[in-house]
Amino acid sequence: MVAAVLFAAGVGLAQSASTGPTFVTEWGSYGREDGQFRQPLGIASDASGNIYVADRKNQRIQKFDARGEPITKWGIFGDEDGDFLYPVEVATDALGYVYVVDQKSPRVQKFDSEGNFVTQWGDYGTGDGQFHLDYRFHEGPAGIATDTAGYVYIVDQGNLRIQKFDSDGNYITQWGSSGNGDGQFRNPQGIATDAFGNVYVADPYNSRVQKFDSKGNFITKWGRYGSGDGQLYYPEGLATDRSGNVYVADTYNNRIQKFDSKGNFITEWGRYGSEDGEFNRPHSVTVGTSGNIYVADTYNNRIQKFSP
């Protein structure tokens, strides 16, 4: 209830910015034209430094260079191959393929870097390789990440689990259940991997991040409800950098927090607003090839870029 009240009022708990990465640039505004957004949610970078954005209510993916210049876009409203109903997250792999979570289909679609359709997998259900969908609570497949071995991890939000696939969509394993114990989730959202094969999951209703190995074995966790350093208020997006640090989109605190791989707090930046370096419900974060940090500032309908 507290979350709903603060969201309706357009404010978060964290109201003061602290030192952190330096603002570089931003791009985007509300609309349907190239470079405009209607609720950008997922964001990902590739090995060439390009940025992909899941533009949810425009039912498309937009691709930009590292400066925010539009390169291409693809997708229209629909449920055919290459169409989207509700694209919420995007990820890339080392070969340049792009994976998109289409939450209300519910399915995962795979494209090449120019947006040409390759394959898809998933349907409604609770079985292996299926995803839960509940229109009442916008629950469906949520987060997506790839690892250095080419595996794809999907946050199956409504089924309260993580599912692991190969790059062609063949089911491998899963883990998770409902609760607040180690390895359990309450409305899981974002997911990220590091160079060592570890998997990090944002567990918003438990106000924490959980860390697993690539087989789903629990390693550690951190975070609790609040607005202080290291505390979280509905964290949604995650990213890692080459040093193994973890960036958390602390969505209802309207900030980004940075931790080491063990969950020790390093720094944070951001507060509620629409000025440079301010956020209105940042949903996702990614780290580019040069170490720059890109944030999907969802309700400001823009992308913000920060130097490390």
Side-chain angles (χ1 to χ4, degrees):
M1 180 61 71
V2 174
V5 171
L6 288 175
F7 167 54
V11 300
L13 291 179
Q15 294 298 311
S16 60
S18 65
T19 58
T22 304
F23 174 83
V24 176
T25 190
E26 66 173 54
W27 70 89
S29 60
Y30 181 83
R32 301 176 184 270
E33 302 300 319
D34 294 349
Q36 294 185 316
F37 305 106
R38 296 173 67 224
Q39 292 187 5
L41 285 185
I43 188 169
S45 58
D46 66 15
S48 300
N50 300 308
I51 304 299
Y52 300 82
V53 180
D55 188 7
R56 176 171 62 178
K57 291 192 173 181
N58 281 325
Q59 287 89 29
R60 65 184 179 183
I61 302 299
Q62 293 197 68
K63 179 181 178 181
F64 304 88
D65 66 19
R67 299 171 299 173
E69 294 296 323
I71 297 175
T72 190
K73 63 185 177 184
W74 68 89
I76 59 174
F77 180 78
D79 56 6
E80 300 297 322
D81 294 346
D83 297 341
F84 302 112
L85 294 180
Y86 209 68
V88 293
E89 280 293 350
V90 59
T92 64
D93 66 16
L95 299 177
Y97 290 107
V98 182
Y99 303 82
V100 181
V101 172
D102 191 8
Q103 189 175 66
K104 290 187 177 180
S105 290
R107 62 180 174 173
V108 177
Q109 295 194 69
K110 178 180 178 179
F111 304 87
D112 67 19
S113 61
E114 299 305 314
N116 297 302
F117 175 83
V118 177
T119 190
Q120 64 166 333
W121 69 89
D123 58 13
Y124 175 80
T126 60
D128 297 344
Q130 295 181 318
F131 305 111
H132 177 77
L133 177 60
D134 190 328
Y135 285 99
R136 297 171 301 169
F137 303 106
H138 301 288
E139 291 179 347
I144 185 169
T146 63
D147 65 15
T148 55
Y151 293 110
V152 182
Y153 301 83
I154 307 295
V155 177
D156 185 8
Q157 186 182 68
N159 283 322
L160 296 160
R161 64 183 178 181
I162 307 302
Q163 293 198 66
K164 179 179 178 179
F165 302 86
D166 68 18
S167 60
D168 293 321
N170 296 304
Y171 171 85
I172 296 176
T173 191
Q174 64 173 285
W175 69 90
S177 60
S178 176
N180 57 13
D182 296 345
Q184 296 182 318
F185 305 108
R186 295 176 63 221
N187 204 45
Q189 288 267 359
I191 190 168
T193 63
D194 64 20
F196 304 101
N198 299 308
V199 181
Y200 303 83
V201 181
D203 189 10
Y205 284 171
N206 283 322
S207 301
R208 65 183 180 181
V209 174
Q210 296 195 68
K211 179 180 179 180
F212 305 87
D213 67 19
S214 61
K215 296 180 180 179
N217 296 305
F218 175 82
I219 297 175
T220 191
K221 63 187 176 186
W222 68 87
R224 59 187 177 87
Y225 174 79
S227 59
D229 294 346
Q231 296 179 331
L232 301 166
Y233 185 18
Y234 207 84
E236 290 189 325
L238 299 174
T240 61
D241 63 21
R242 292 180 178 178
S243 299
N245 298 309
V246 182
Y247 299 81
V248 181
D250 188 7
T251 302
Y252 282 4
N253 276 325
N254 291 297
R255 64 182 178 182
I256 305 298
Q257 293 199 67
K258 179 181 178 180
F259 302 86
D260 68 19
S261 61
K262 297 180 180 179
N264 297 305
F265 174 82
I266 297 175
T267 190
E268 57 101 7
W269 72 97
R271 62 180 180 182
Y272 173 77
S274 58
E275 300 299 319
D276 295 345
E278 297 179 332
F279 303 110
N280 188 352
R281 286 193 67 190
H283 179 84
S284 297
V285 57
T286 192
V287 179
T289 54
S290 299
N292 294 308
I293 302 146
Y294 300 82
V295 180
D297 187 8
T298 300
Y299 281 84
N300 280 324
N301 289 294
R302 65 182 178 179
I303 306 301
Q304 294 199 65
K305 177 181 178 180
F306 303 86
S307 72

